[in-house]
Amino acid sequence: MAAQRRVAALTRHLKGDGEGRTPVVSGALCRASSADPEVAAVLYKFITRDNMELRQKIFDFLKDPIYQPEHYLSIADFRALTRERFARFAAAHFFTITDYVDNPRRFLATLECLAWADYSLAILSGVHYTLCGGTITKLGSAAQVAAHVPAMDVGRLRGCFGMTELGHGSDVAGIRTRASYDAATREFVLTTPDDDASKYWIGGAAGTAHICAVFAQLEVAGREEGVHVFLVPLRDEAGRPHPGVRTADCGAKMGLNGVDNGQIWLDDVRVPREAMLSRLATVSPEGRYSSALPDRGARFGATVGGLTMGRVLIAGAAVTASAIGLTVAINYAHARPQFGDTLIGDYLTHQRRLYPALAATYALHFALDRVKALLAAPPTPARAKAIHVASAAAAPAAAAPLLRTLSALHALSCLEGAAAELALGGVLTRAGAESLRGLVNDLCRRLGEDRGAAARTLCAGFGCPDHLMWAPIARDWTTAFKYPGKA
């Protein structure tokens, strides 16, 4: 009997009551608490803060049908589509790689927008513009920047980032790729001594990138000078490998299959003396090494500093994913009736799964904005250290609540303790996280007794573009509930 009543209730939700009246779902949408557009607009301006006109231009650009999701492609077709998406984005020339140094806020804003649409595109672009292009801009001479960045800006020259090795992972000081200077030919000879020293899991290396910013141990006249960066050609425009370069495809992954991760071996690859990025150090034609930073530790820190911007972008992408998921789930919760006319968003258990995650997402957004402010400020030694600590903590601190948030949306896990994990090396303390969380909860109270309206207003403050709400996890939910009654 109970089963029959349940089937009857579900039938009414989907098909109406058989007497010409509309489905319950449609009525729920009409009754659903709506966001306050004026408050949402103020929130959006407050949390976005910079480059709003640029962001809107990019969101309008992403209306191009090529950026609509394709869920049933083979890996080869997905990679081809990602490269085409990248080519169109690069050709639009919304920014230049030199913004990495000259205008970090604009640089971050441009690449942040891609995470709303396609994570494979966001990662491939991040590797090209941030890791490879940013490293050239930050560590290269003016001549090296002029020789590479204009072509990289518009995607004619595609780059990747050769830091990680199979046997060393994040231990950059311990990498074993060698770069020996040959004074007779005025060339550097780069060598991979064994498989453990091969560059591994390099985004774009399997087939996309033309050049690679290779981190290697420099040897000049028998003296070890530490880790330096060399621009090494991988393949020509037709995809033919450069002499001495071998690559392999890392294959299918659990996600981001639009990015062709690969493995690189260098078999005595010769590159000209000018291939070593030389803002911080140079080798004369005769083989004399000199550096503006004589302290080896300081030189190493500056060499690996290019990771900072990438870490901030990864953390920002995690916050974006959380914002999208919560926007979809909270709007759905306040339009979906369960057991009669009660909306699932009215149940305390449902609120306890979603609202703490919403507060945590806002808190992380503010924390990242603090890190961005540090990046945009004039550089000082103390600030450089603060940026390193904050950016290194930002990605894992954002990713952990994100995973729990998405788990809550899909598997009903709870996020009550999320704020305790928001301590970003002094950028956001435990007390600061709790304070921000309290501010968001207070806003909910100030918006009135209608918690649904408050939550939806907070979600609207994220500024999720309607045409991108299918990506990366919303997919068919919005379509299904914009047209209630359609299966």
Side-chain angles (χ1 to χ4, degrees):
M1 203 60 157
Q4 291 175 342
R5 286 197 301 270
R6 180 67 178 144
V7 170
L10 286 171
T11 302
R12 288 197 304 274
H13 290 165
L14 296 173
K15 298 178 64 177
D17 57 9
E19 297 180 6
R21 288 192 283 267
T22 56
V24 175
V25 172
S26 179
L29 282 173
C30 294
R31 293 185 291 102
S33 306
S34 59
D36 184 323
E38 293 184 5
V39 176
V42 172
L43 274 173
Y44 177 66
K45 290 180 181 178
F46 178 69
I47 70 173
T48 304
R49 303 196 180 194
D50 66 84
N51 293 285
M52 294 179 64
E53 186 176 334
L54 171 65
R55 293 173 193 267
Q56 189 56 53
K57 285 181 180 179
I58 297 173
F59 287 148
D60 289 340
F61 169 81
L62 293 172
K63 292 178 181 178
D64 187 324
I66 195 173
Y67 294 101
Q68 292 181 2
E70 296 285 351
H71 301 302
Y72 301 103
L73 296 176
S74 67
I75 291 178
D77 288 342
F78 191 9
R79 289 178 177 181
L81 177 62
T82 302
R83 284 194 290 269
E84 178 60 26
R85 287 173 172 173
F86 169 80
R88 294 197 188 188
F89 173 76
H93 206 190
F94 289 107
F95 74 142
T96 173
I97 292 172
T98 55
D99 287 336
Y100 183 100
V101 172
D102 299 335
N103 194 341
R105 286 279 196 173
R106 182 179 180 87
F107 187 93
L108 286 166
T110 304
L111 293 178
E112 282 173 349
C113 292
L114 298 181
W116 291 96
D118 176 5
Y119 280 129
S120 285
L121 173 62
I123 293 297
L124 192 68
S125 300
V127 170
H128 171 80
Y129 289 115
T130 308
L131 297 180
C132 185
T135 297
I136 294 171
T137 301
K138 192 169 183 178
L139 301 182
S141 66
Q144 289 169 328
V145 171
H148 296 90
V149 165
M152 293 185 72
D153 273 344
V154 294
R156 289 198 307 271
L157 180 68
R158 298 189 295 270
C160 64
F161 187 72
M163 177 184 282
T164 302
E165 294 183 357
L166 179 61
H168 296 85
S170 300
D171 179 15
V172 183
I175 62 174
R176 294 174 53 242
T177 298
R178 310 291 302 172
S180 302
Y181 183 65
D182 184 348
T185 61
R186 299 184 178 182
E187 294 174 314
F188 291 103
V189 183
L190 283 95
T191 304
T192 304
D194 51 46
D195 286 345
D196 276 357
S198 63
K199 300 299 181 181
Y200 193 68
W201 211 256
I202 308 303
T208 297
H210 300 122
I211 63 170
C212 182
V214 174
F215 286 68
Q217 300 283 357
L218 173 62
E219 179 186 335
V220 181
R223 179 185 172 92
E224 299 284 343
E225 300 292 355
V227 176
H228 290 67
V229 185
F230 303 82
L231 297 182
V232 178
L234 297 184
R235 52 181 64 87
D236 61 20
E237 292 186 2
R240 294 182 292 262
H242 186 76
V245 174
R246 291 181 290 133
T247 61
D249 196 324
C250 290
K253 308 183 292 289
M254 293 178 68
L256 301 176
N257 277 306
V259 182
D260 54 314
N261 293 80
Q263 189 172 5
I264 303 171
W265 297 264
L266 304 174
D267 300 329
D268 295 333
V269 175
R270 289 181 171 269
V271 296
R273 185 178 64 89
E274 295 76 16
M276 187 181 89
L277 297 184
S278 57
R279 185 183 296 271
L280 300 179
T282 60
V283 176
S284 71
E286 298 76 24
R288 288 192 298 271
Y289 176 85
S290 61
S291 174
L293 295 174
D295 181 76
R296 188 162 176 166
R299 193 163 65 237
F300 175 76
T303 301
V304 300
L307 293 172
T308 298
M309 196 80 76
R311 290 168 177 150
V312 174
L313 283 167
I314 290 172
V319 173
T320 295
S322 186
I324 293 173
L326 286 164
T327 299
V328 172
I330 288 174
N331 279 282
Y332 172 72
H334 292 283
R336 171 71 163 92
Q338 184 78 2
F339 304 113
D341 289 341
T342 302
L343 300 174
I344 60 174
D346 292 336
Y347 290 105
L348 182 60
T349 52
H350 209 78
Q351 294 172 10
R352 284 172 62 86
R353 293 180 181 114
L354 297 180
Y355 293 173
L358 180 59
T361 302
Y362 262 84
L364 279 166
H365 191 104
F366 295 140
L368 277 174
D369 191 72
R370 172 61 178 155
V371 179
K372 293 176 190 177
L374 288 172
L375 279 170
T380 65
R383 189 170 288 129
K385 184 174 182 179
I387 290 171
H388 172 73
V389 172
S391 65
L402 160 69
L403 291 174
R404 280 191 296 276
T405 296
L406 299 185
S407 179
L409 303 183
H410 292 286
L412 304 181
S413 63
C414 185
L415 277 175
E416 275 298 306
E421 299 183 24
L422 298 179
L424 294 181
V427 175
L428 184 66
T429 63
R430 181 186 298 265
E434 292 294 345
S435 176
L436 285 171
R437 181 171 170 177
L439 287 174
V440 175
N441 288 332
D442 184 59
L443 177 59
C444 289
R445 288 191 291 272
R446 291 184 183 186
L447 284 171
E449 293 300 321
D450 188 344
R451 294 181 182 177
R456 297 179 84 174
T457 299
L458 286 165
C459 287
F462 290 129
C464 302
D466 287 342
H467 69 284
L468 297 182
M469 278 307 299
W470 40 257
I473 59 171
R475 294 193 188 176
D476 305 321
W477 289 15
T478 51
T479 301
F481 291 97
K482 280 181 180 175
Y483 305 98
K486 178 181 178 182

